[in-house]
Amino acid sequence: MKRQIFVIGGGPAGMMAAITAAREGACVTILEHNDRIGKKILSTGNGRCNFTNVNQSSKYYRGDNKGFAWKAIQHFSFDDTLAFFEELGIYAKNKNGGLYPFSEQASAVLDVLRMEIDRLKIRVIIEANVCGIKAGKKEFQIICKNISYKADAVILATGSKAAPKLGSDGSGYSFAKMLGHSMIPVVPALVQLKCKENFYKSLAGVRLQGKVRLLVNGKEVSNDVGEIQLTAYGISGIPVFQVSRFASRAIYEKKKVEAVLDFMPELSEKEFFDYVLKRTETRPEKNMEDFFTGLLNRKVSQVVLKITNIRNTQKAGTLGKDEIIRIVKAVKEFRTVVTEANSFDQAQICAGGVNTKEINPETMESLLIKNLFFAGEIMDVDGICGGYNLQWAWSSGYLAGKGAAYAKN
């Protein structure tokens, strides 16, 4: 008799797990609480679906149990992912390392997955409200609102708490705890950061290339370079997203968090000092209000003057060495106190989740309960921007599906 496998959650990881298990000969059912499967895929990559990245390294995957994700990804790699989607009909387009379907439509990725689910005759039950899961000696009982199911193996692929409007409600965490697993605190990641200072309203809408360094209790824990976006409440943009998981966790732990922004990352402090000095000598008659024209965004330069206590009407030629040093520090080390991350509503993913020290990285099987598997964001693994979280979904989903198909009762 075929093994009866139930996948709880029909997102990217759940669909991959279901497809893999069915290809290995199992009888597979997906229980999805939304009105359709794969809803979150449609929002990835700004609707274009950056489904993986050619640049792969352990440093792009984070979690308390360092190395766990990378061990798993080595068993289902970038090359495996590319081959899987090519077989389904996706021709990839490389954009700075990120791979997209050539059509640049996220719906294409979802469509080929759904077509494969149909081809394999995987049963999909939508609007399935799972209330609980019980592990027996030989099988699981999955309790829904008006019905219960029996399964030889269960794969929890319920996602995280990020972007709840797309169906992620964190329910899988309670199922994992119900079954004896411990949790790493769950916080928003790949998210905007709110800051303390009152000048941000005047900076809203500014975009500029720069570097972000994140300090926790005065020690640098992460940094990134790219387009920084200044908002009415703080900072945003890809480099901010990349460091945000460390900010969220530190704030959760009630530590002091600061971001140090460098608005001229191309130049060292000495090079920028020399440049500013030369600029004062070239146009000494300029008012400081106009001094930065062509160099810094006007909104930013006004804040720089304010925090350095330099008057708008002061002539550039009258700047002393100490004043130039203050300007250089303000531009190269623009410090801001981070008070909180934006909510799960705005977060693309979460940091934290099921403790991966309790999971086999080669099969995604629970080390506590036989025939219980995990896939995707429910675990304490989070990738940086650029297709890495979907790569984690494909890798962990594949391993969970294969592990469930071959596990023994």
Side-chain angles (χ1 to χ4, degrees):
M1 183 179 290
K2 287 187 176 182
R3 281 177 63 76
Q4 298 292 320
I5 297 174
F6 276 70
V7 181
I8 316 299
M15 286 190 286
M16 174 59 97
I19 288 168
T20 304
R23 285 181 173 185
E24 298 296 336
C27 181
V28 183
T29 300
I30 297 174
L31 297 179
E32 168 57 50
H33 70 183
N34 277 325
D35 58 0
R36 63 186 187 275
I37 58 173
K39 192 174 181 180
K40 198 169 185 179
I41 288 177
L42 298 177
S43 68
T44 60
N46 292 318
R48 294 176 296 141
C49 193
N50 179 188
F51 66 91
T52 187
N53 199 296
V54 299
N55 302 307
Q56 291 290 326
S57 167
S58 60
K59 67 183 180 181
Y60 301 134
Y61 300 92
R62 296 154 169 177
D64 276 23
N65 184 11
K66 297 188 186 305
F68 173 85
W70 190 239
K71 286 179 185 176
I73 287 167
Q74 288 176 311
H75 289 281
F76 189 85
S77 66
F78 162 81
D79 290 333
D80 295 319
T81 298
L82 193 58
F84 172 81
F85 280 104
E86 282 183 350
E87 181 191 347
L88 295 186
I90 295 294
Y91 182 77
K93 177 185 288 187
N94 186 330
K95 302 185 79 172
N96 299 317
L99 291 194
Y100 299 79
F102 199 78
S103 63
E104 296 199 41
Q105 293 178 296
S107 58
V109 174
L110 175 57
D111 287 343
V112 297
L113 290 169
R114 292 178 67 175
M115 283 187 270
E116 184 66 358
I117 284 170
D118 290 342
R119 185 185 76 83
L120 293 167
K121 295 181 171 49
I122 295 169
R123 181 169 59 155
V124 177
I125 301 174
I126 59 172
E127 298 180 336
N129 296 309
V130 178
C131 304
I133 303 170
K134 293 181 179 179
K137 289 183 178 180
K138 291 187 177 182
E139 61 186 11
F140 291 86
Q141 183 182 16
I142 303 165
I143 305 162
C144 294
K145 190 173 181 180
N146 298 314
I147 193 172
S148 65
Y149 304 95
K150 290 181 179 180
D152 296 312
V154 169
I155 301 173
L156 283 178
T158 52
S160 63
K161 294 175 70 174
K165 62 182 178 294
L166 299 176
S168 300
D169 62 0
S171 59
Y173 300 141
S174 62
F175 301 147
K177 287 190 283 187
M178 193 183 299
L179 293 164
H181 278 270
S182 62
M183 301 289 298
I184 304 300
V186 178
V187 296
L190 300 188
V191 70
Q192 309 87 349
L193 299 176
K194 296 181 181 179
C195 299
K196 180 180 180 180
E197 293 77 12
N198 59 13
F199 49 64
Y200 277 101
K201 286 185 179 179
S202 69
L203 294 173
V206 172
R207 294 169 179 251
L208 69 173
Q209 291 295 312
K211 181 176 182 178
V212 179
R213 294 191 296 126
L214 193 80
L215 309 184
V216 174
N217 288 344
K219 181 180 178 181
E220 182 174 328
V221 297
S222 186
N223 67 75
D224 202 71
V225 178
E227 186 183 75
I228 301 169
Q229 298 175 23
L230 304 178
T231 71
Y233 54 78
I235 55 178
S236 183
I238 297 298
V240 173
F241 284 7
Q242 306 291 44
V243 305
S244 63
R245 62 100 63 206
F246 299 102
S248 291
R249 182 69 177 271
I251 290 166
Y252 174 85
E253 294 170 349
K254 303 191 182 307
K255 295 176 180 177
K256 181 181 179 183
V257 181
E258 294 175 284
V260 181
L261 311 181
D262 182 350
F263 297 138
M264 290 292 295
E266 300 88 352
L267 301 178
S268 68
E269 286 197 12
K270 184 182 184 307
E271 288 171 334
F272 189 53
F273 177 91
D274 292 342
Y275 179 81
V276 174
L277 179 61
K278 183 179 179 181
R279 202 173 172 96
T280 63
E281 294 169 348
T282 303
R283 289 289 183 268
E285 77 285 353
K286 276 192 176 182
N287 288 336
M288 288 307 297
E289 183 177 18
D290 301 319
F291 177 76
F292 295 99
T293 302
L295 179 63
L296 290 178
N297 180 286
R298 192 171 185 84
K299 290 180 179 180
V300 173
S301 67
Q302 287 298 302
V303 172
V304 166
L305 290 175
K306 184 177 180 180
I307 65 179
T308 54
N309 295 314
I310 296 174
R311 300 188 316 277
N312 283 344
T313 55
Q314 183 174 342
K315 300 295 184 183
T318 68
L319 284 179
K321 181 179 179 181
D322 287 346
E323 290 172 309
I324 295 176
I325 289 173
R326 292 207 303 270
I327 289 171
V328 170
K329 286 289 185 184
V331 174
K332 295 284 295 174
E333 296 185 23
F334 188 93
R335 284 182 172 254
T336 183
V337 176
V338 179
T339 55
E340 61 180 304
N342 264 357
S343 70
F344 291 110
D345 288 340
Q346 285 77 43
Q348 292 184 25
I349 60 163
C350 291
V354 177
N355 189 343
T356 57
K357 290 180 179 178
E358 301 165 357
I359 300 170
N360 183 335
E362 296 182 5
T363 64
M364 296 296 116
E365 185 173 17
S366 165
L367 296 175
L368 308 181
I369 297 182
K370 193 169 178 55
N371 288 307
L372 173 65
F373 296 81
F374 297 91
E377 286 184 40
I378 188 174
M379 289 176 279
D380 175 34
V381 173
D382 58 290
I384 67 169
C385 292
Y388 295 99
N389 289 290
L390 278 178
Q391 179 61 56
W392 173 241
W394 313 134
S395 296
S396 60
Y398 173 84
L399 293 177
K402 189 167 184 180
Y406 284 101
K408 302 295 184 183
N409 286 336

